[in-house]
Amino acid sequence: MEMEPTCVDTSLNLNVIPSPHIDHLAGEVLFEELRRLSSENKRLTETLNHLCESYVALQKHLSEFSQLRNANFDKEGTCAVPSLKRKPESENCVNLFGTECNTITEEETFKRPKHSTEPKVSKVLTRTDASDTGLYVRDGYQWRKYGQKVTRDNPSPRAYFKCSYAPSCPVKKKVQRSLQDKSFLVATYEGKHNHGVFRDLLKPSSSIQETSIMDNYLPMTVMPNDKLDTMNIDLCLCNRAQTDIRRCDDIKEQNDRGSNSKIEEYASSPVKDPDFIMPLAEAVVHSLNSQSYKQVGLNLSLGLPEPHH
DNA sequence: CGTGTTTGACCGGCGC
DNA sequence: GCGCCGGTCAAACACG
């Protein structure tokens, strides 16, 4: 059964708050700018709707491909993946944007104890300019780079970072360009931060390559890999942003029906998590503030509607 | 001069 | 035991 995407409404309602301090002329300028923004918003919405349609089509293709692959797997008893001396670090799946991302292999899943104490690992895909050679992902935390390596399975170098916001923070991050789509950076996070979000995220960056906060936050793919259960959460910022949650196991077994409640739990967890919501909300507010719309009220809706059944 | 980045060397796990 | 490979260290370097 194909999973219906769970939607996160990220639409912005720009309500102008009347202010006696704004004179008539300034008010007209403000309204004109607001009209321009609404028009631009409409255009972007149409573009994103088109992207979403493409995504649905792509997902359909993926489903067909997976069924075909499973059929071959069953027939041959082995997966038609070229054998390597060392097992590949991960197996590929496709995310919202049709690019591939890494997931834990079935073998690793079986090997892993059910109640392992190993640090939580998650992966995040971040879209960047393909010509941009930087390996920096702005995610709300402060990182110190401590190494870089070219790995065997990917000609793009892999950068190693440690969280430097808190000295005792054990979190590490690996960033590498996607093998299939160089416009995506794949960030692998290990461990859990023992402190809050790095609030300076919203200040203009100095040493870190300057990129749009919104470009780096959304759209993105978050793939918490919590022990046995690996899942993707794909977010796309549009008026009906789709949050597509699926267990990576479902890439192989599309008919797994038993995990809906757990999936819903995962789906709702990001919007309940202040570490996720606060940077997002602040980035939106910052984006508006930077354009001097001090009198524009902002309602950021991040409610999670009931999943479609 | 302090801080962060770069990069070659080193270490340990894994497969043969 | 050996070689490969990913991950980490740390000295050198760049930059503000």
Coordinates of all heavy atoms in Angstrom, one line a residue, chain A residues 85-86 136 143-149, chain B residues 4-7 9-10 13-16:
Chain A
K85 N 34.5 -5.4 -1.9 CA 35.3 -6.0 -0.9 C 34.7 -5.7 0.5 O 34.5 -6.6 1.3 CB 36.8 -5.4 -0.9 CG 37.8 -6.4 -1.5 CD 39.1 -5.8 -1.4 CE 40.2 -6.7 -1.8 NZ 41.5 -6.2 -1.6
R86 N 34.5 -4.5 0.7 CA 33.8 -4.1 1.9 C 32.4 -3.8 1.6 O 32.1 -3.3 0.5 CB 34.4 -2.8 2.5 CG 35.8 -3.1 3.1 CD 36.4 -1.8 3.5 NE 37.7 -2.1 4.1 CZ 37.9 -1.8 5.4 NH1 37.0 -1.3 6.1 NH2 39.1 -2.1 5.9
Y136 N 29.5 23.1 3.8 CA 29.0 23.7 5.0 C 27.5 23.6 4.9 O 26.8 24.1 4.0 CB 29.5 25.1 5.2 CG 30.9 25.2 5.4 CD1 31.8 25.5 4.3 CD2 31.5 24.8 6.6 CE1 33.2 25.5 4.5 CE2 32.9 24.8 6.8 CZ 33.7 25.2 5.7 OH 35.0 25.2 5.9
W143 N 29.9 24.4 14.3 CA 30.7 23.2 14.0 C 32.2 23.6 13.8 O 32.5 24.6 13.2 CB 30.2 22.4 12.8 CG 28.8 22.0 13.0 CD1 27.7 22.6 12.5 CD2 28.3 20.8 13.6 NE1 26.6 21.9 12.8 CE2 26.9 20.8 13.5 CE3 29.0 19.7 14.2 CZ2 26.1 19.8 14.0 CZ3 28.2 18.7 14.7 CH2 26.8 18.7 14.6
R144 N 33.1 22.7 14.2 CA 34.5 22.9 13.9 C 34.9 21.7 13.0 O 34.8 20.5 13.4 CB 35.3 22.9 15.2 CG 36.8 23.1 15.0 CD 37.5 23.1 16.3 NE 37.4 21.9 17.1 CZ 38.1 20.8 16.9 NH1 39.0 20.8 15.9 NH2 38.0 19.7 17.6
K145 N 35.5 22.0 11.9 CA 36.0 21.0 11.0 C 37.3 20.4 11.5 O 38.2 21.1 11.9 CB 36.2 21.6 9.6 CG 36.4 20.6 8.5 CD 36.6 21.3 7.2 CE 36.8 20.3 6.1 NZ 36.9 21.0 4.8
Y146 N 37.3 19.1 11.6 CA 38.6 18.5 12.1 C 39.2 17.5 11.1 O 40.2 16.9 11.3 CB 38.3 17.8 13.4 CG 37.4 16.6 13.3 CD1 37.9 15.3 13.1 CD2 36.0 16.7 13.5 CE1 37.1 14.2 13.1 CE2 35.2 15.6 13.4 CZ 35.7 14.4 13.3 OH 34.9 13.3 13.2
G147 N 38.6 17.4 9.9 CA 39.2 16.5 8.9 C 38.4 16.5 7.6 O 37.3 16.9 7.5
Q148 N 39.1 16.0 6.6 CA 38.4 15.8 5.3 C 39.1 14.6 4.6 O 40.3 14.5 4.7 CB 38.6 17.1 4.5 CG 37.9 17.0 3.1 CD 37.8 18.4 2.5 OE1 37.5 19.3 3.1 NE2 38.0 18.4 1.2
K149 N 38.3 13.8 4.0 CA 38.7 12.6 3.3 C 38.0 12.4 2.0 O 36.8 12.8 1.9 CB 38.5 11.4 4.2 CG 39.6 11.1 5.1 CD 40.6 10.3 4.4 CE 41.6 9.7 5.4 NZ 42.8 9.2 4.8
Chain B
dG4 P 36.7 29.3 16.6 OP1 35.3 29.6 16.9 OP2 37.4 28.3 17.5 O5' 36.9 28.8 15.1 C5' 36.6 29.7 14.1 C4' 37.2 29.3 12.8 O4' 38.7 29.4 12.9 C3' 36.9 27.8 12.4 O3' 36.5 27.7 11.1 C2' 38.2 27.1 12.7 C1' 39.2 28.2 12.4 N9 40.5 28.0 13.0 C8 40.8 27.8 14.3 N7 42.0 27.6 14.6 C5 42.7 27.7 13.4 C6 44.0 27.7 13.1 O6 45.0 27.5 13.8 N1 44.3 27.8 11.7 C2 43.3 28.1 10.8 N2 43.7 28.2 9.5 N3 42.0 28.1 11.1 C4 41.8 28.0 12.4
dT5 P 36.1 26.4 10.4 OP1 34.9 26.6 9.6 OP2 36.1 25.3 11.4 O5' 37.4 26.1 9.4 C5' 37.7 27.2 8.5 C4' 38.9 26.7 7.6 O4' 40.1 26.6 8.5 C3' 38.7 25.4 6.9 O3' 39.1 25.5 5.6 C2' 39.6 24.4 7.7 C1' 40.7 25.4 8.2 N1 41.4 25.0 9.5 C2 42.8 24.9 9.4 O2 43.5 25.0 8.4 N3 43.4 24.6 10.6 C4 42.7 24.4 11.9 O4 43.3 24.1 12.9 C5 41.3 24.6 11.8 C7 40.5 24.4 13.1 C6 40.7 24.9 10.6
dT6 P 39.0 24.3 4.6 OP1 38.6 24.9 3.3 OP2 38.1 23.3 5.2 O5' 40.5 23.8 4.4 C5' 41.5 24.7 4.2 C4' 42.9 24.0 4.2 O4' 43.3 23.7 5.5 C3' 42.9 22.7 3.4 O3' 44.0 22.7 2.6 C2' 43.0 21.6 4.6 C1' 43.7 22.4 5.6 N1 43.5 22.0 7.0 C2 44.6 21.8 7.9 O2 45.7 21.9 7.5 N3 44.3 21.5 9.1 C4 43.0 21.3 9.7 O4 42.8 21.0 10.9 C5 41.9 21.5 8.8 C7 40.5 21.3 9.2 C6 42.2 21.8 7.5
dT7 P 44.2 21.6 1.4 OP1 44.9 22.3 0.3 OP2 42.8 21.0 1.2 O5' 45.1 20.5 2.0 C5' 46.4 20.9 2.6 C4' 47.0 19.7 3.4 O4' 46.4 19.6 4.7 C3' 46.7 18.4 2.7 O3' 47.9 17.6 2.8 C2' 45.6 17.7 3.6 C1' 46.1 18.3 4.9 N1 45.0 18.3 6.0 C2 45.4 18.2 7.3 O2 46.6 18.2 7.6 N3 44.4 18.2 8.2 C4 43.0 18.2 7.9 O4 42.2 18.2 8.8 C5 42.7 18.3 6.5 C7 41.2 18.3 6.1 C6 43.7 18.3 5.6
dA9 P 52.7 12.3 4.7 OP1 54.1 12.3 4.6 OP2 51.8 11.5 3.8 O5' 52.3 11.9 6.2 C5' 52.7 12.7 7.3 C4' 52.3 12.2 8.6 O4' 50.8 12.4 8.8 C3' 52.5 10.7 8.8 O3' 53.0 10.4 10.1 C2' 51.1 10.0 8.6 C1' 50.2 11.1 9.1 N9 48.9 11.2 8.4 C8 48.7 11.2 7.1 N7 47.4 11.2 6.7 C5 46.7 11.3 7.9 C6 45.4 11.4 8.3 N6 44.4 11.4 7.4 N1 45.1 11.5 9.6 C2 46.1 11.4 10.5 N3 47.4 11.3 10.3 C4 47.7 11.3 9.0
dC10 P 53.5 9.0 10.5 OP1 54.7 9.1 11.4 OP2 53.6 8.1 9.3 O5' 52.3 8.4 11.4 C5' 51.8 9.2 12.5 C4' 50.5 8.7 12.9 O4' 49.5 8.9 11.9 C3' 50.5 7.2 13.2 O3' 50.2 7.0 14.6 C2' 49.4 6.7 12.3 C1' 48.5 7.9 12.0 N1 47.8 7.9 10.7 C2 46.4 8.0 10.7 O2 45.8 8.1 11.8 N3 45.7 8.0 9.6 C4 46.4 7.9 8.4 N4 45.7 7.9 7.3 C5 47.8 7.8 8.4 C6 48.5 7.8 9.5
dG13 P 39.9 -1.6 17.1 OP1 39.1 -1.4 18.3 OP2 41.0 -2.5 17.0 O5' 38.9 -1.9 15.9 C5' 37.9 -1.0 15.4 C4' 37.4 -1.4 14.1 O4' 38.4 -1.1 13.0 C3' 37.0 -2.8 14.0 O3' 35.8 -3.0 13.3 C2' 38.2 -3.4 13.2 C1' 38.6 -2.2 12.3 N9 40.0 -2.2 11.9 C8 41.1 -2.3 12.7 N7 42.2 -2.3 12.1 C5 41.9 -2.1 10.8 C6 42.7 -1.9 9.7 O6 44.0 -1.9 9.6 N1 42.0 -1.8 8.5 C2 40.6 -1.8 8.4 N2 40.0 -1.6 7.2 N3 39.8 -1.9 9.5 C4 40.5 -2.0 10.6
dC14 P 35.0 -4.3 13.2 OP1 33.6 -4.0 13.4 OP2 35.7 -5.3 14.1 O5' 35.3 -4.8 11.7 C5' 35.1 -3.9 10.7 C4' 35.6 -4.5 9.4 O4' 37.0 -4.3 9.3 C3' 35.4 -6.0 9.2 O3' 34.7 -6.2 8.0 C2' 36.8 -6.6 9.2 C1' 37.7 -5.4 8.8 N1 39.1 -5.4 9.3 C2 40.1 -5.2 8.4 O2 39.9 -5.1 7.2 N3 41.4 -5.2 8.8 C4 41.6 -5.4 10.1 N4 42.9 -5.4 10.6 C5 40.6 -5.6 11.1 C6 39.3 -5.6 10.6
dG15 P 34.1 -7.7 7.8 OP1 32.7 -7.4 7.4 OP2 34.4 -8.6 8.9 O5' 34.9 -8.1 6.5 C5' 35.1 -7.2 5.4 C4' 36.2 -7.8 4.5 O4' 37.5 -7.6 5.0 C3' 36.1 -9.3 4.1 O3' 36.3 -9.4 2.8 C2' 37.2 -9.9 5.0 C1' 38.2 -8.8 5.0 N9 39.0 -8.7 6.2 C8 38.6 -8.9 7.5 N7 39.6 -8.8 8.4 C5 40.7 -8.6 7.6 C6 42.1 -8.5 8.0 O6 42.6 -8.5 9.2 N1 42.9 -8.3 6.9 C2 42.5 -8.2 5.6 N2 43.4 -8.0 4.7 N3 41.2 -8.4 5.2 C4 40.4 -8.6 6.3
dC16 P 36.1 -10.9 2.1 OP1 35.4 -10.7 0.8 OP2 35.5 -11.8 3.1 O5' 37.6 -11.4 1.8 C5' 38.4 -10.5 1.0 C4' 39.8 -11.0 1.1 O4' 40.4 -10.8 2.4 C3' 40.0 -12.5 0.8 O3' 40.9 -12.7 -0.2 C2' 40.5 -13.1 2.2 C1' 41.2 -11.9 2.8 N1 41.2 -11.9 4.3 C2 42.4 -11.7 4.9 O2 43.4 -11.5 4.3 N3 42.4 -11.7 6.3 C4 41.3 -11.9 7.0 N4 41.3 -11.9 8.3 C5 40.0 -12.1 6.3 C6 40.0 -12.1 5.0

